[in-house]
Amino acid sequence: MDVKKIYIDADALLDGHFKLSSGNHSQYYLQSAKVLEDPKTAKLLAEALAVKIKASGLEIDTVCAPALGGLIAGFALATALNVRSIFAERVNGEMDIRRGFEIAEGERVLICEDIITTGGSAMEAAKVIESLGGKIVGVAALANRGFCKHENSNIETKPNCKLPQDIPFFTLKDFTFEIFAPNACPLCKDGSEAIKPGSRGN
Ligand code: ZN
């Protein structure tokens, strides 16, 4: 499966000059929601991710997605794995489990995101699950920005990766782009202006 082509065809891998939420600039930006706009594509990607997870032999009771980004990927993956689907959400900035979702003692939970950058939101959701008695058995994401090492990968985990090294991380594709501080950005030097992804016109 050519995951990169699927992202490009869905306009989910943008090529231009972008200002990231960190303040840094990049030529590329992953607009993950766009690849899930077509439910058939979402199903296809989630099923491919489920194949990798099943092949590892990992046993899972529940998929938990950090809202908002992980919602669709999490639901599609839970469908493909035929397990329960729940989500964590931010309340006043703090990740929480609401909506009447309950976690059984020792319940085996996989955290699912659309994309893992450093894994910060995933680990916030994991902490809440663990505080309720659940056990985090793995992390999954459709796309990986290349800071965290996934199963069967040769890339090195970068220091800013927040995922623990003792649980497996499954992904379909590493999207590793160079990022630049604004004062060292070659695209700025060429005279173009960085735009905020998601704003009108991209
Ligand atoms: Zn720039």
Side-chain angles (χ1 to χ4, degrees):
M1 175 191 262
D2 189 343
V3 176
K4 188 176 177 184
K5 185 175 185 311
I6 292 173
Y7 273 73
I8 290 169
D9 290 349
D11 289 331
L13 175 57
L14 308 178
D15 186 345
H17 182 190
F18 302 104
K19 187 175 181 174
L20 308 176
S21 54
S22 61
N24 291 321
H25 292 188
S26 173
Q27 184 182 347
Y28 301 100
Y29 185 78
L30 275 179
Q31 190 63 272
S32 292
K34 284 288 285 175
V35 84
L36 302 170
E37 191 174 39
D38 180 351
K40 289 192 292 296
T41 307
K43 183 168 182 278
L44 189 77
L45 293 171
E47 283 173 353
L49 191 54
V51 165
K52 289 192 176 197
I53 295 167
K54 283 180 187 163
S56 78
L58 191 67
E59 293 193 31
I60 296 157
D61 300 309
T62 297
V63 170
C64 177
L68 203 67
L71 281 181
I72 297 169
F75 180 78
L77 181 63
T79 305
L81 291 169
N82 194 26
V83 299
R84 190 162 81 107
S85 174
I86 64 171
F87 58 88
E89 61 196 294
R90 274 185 209 286
V91 183
N92 300 322
E94 296 284 317
M95 202 63 92
D96 199 4
I97 299 284
R98 306 181 82 194
R99 319 273 172 175
F101 293 142
E102 289 180 7
I103 304 291
E105 192 63 36
E107 186 166 335
R108 297 164 298 186
V109 179
L110 177 89
I111 303 291
C112 180
E113 279 277 21
D114 52 353
I115 177 166
I116 289 283
T117 304
T118 62
S121 300
M123 291 327 294
E124 284 178 63
K127 226 167 99 182
V128 180
I129 296 285
E130 283 175 337
S131 74
L132 296 171
K135 181 174 163 39
I136 303 301
V137 294
V139 176
L142 299 176
N144 178 34
R145 279 288 283 101
F147 298 108
C148 298
K149 182 185 188 304
H150 63 85
E151 288 294 285
N152 306 317
S153 153
N154 297 321
I155 67 159
E156 290 296 316
T157 294
K158 306 287 188 296
N160 55 354
C161 174
K162 296 189 177 74
L163 300 185
Q165 300 302 299
D166 57 346
I167 58 166
F169 168 42
F170 303 93
T171 189
L172 291 175
K173 171 89 183 145
D174 288 322
F175 288 90
T176 309
F177 322 133
E178 261 191 288
I179 56 171
F180 309 101
N183 60 5
C185 173
L187 302 160
C188 284
K189 286 202 177 83
D190 286 347
S192 78
E193 197 183 329
I195 57 166
K196 216 175 154 210
S199 55
R200 283 283 165 202
N202 71 77

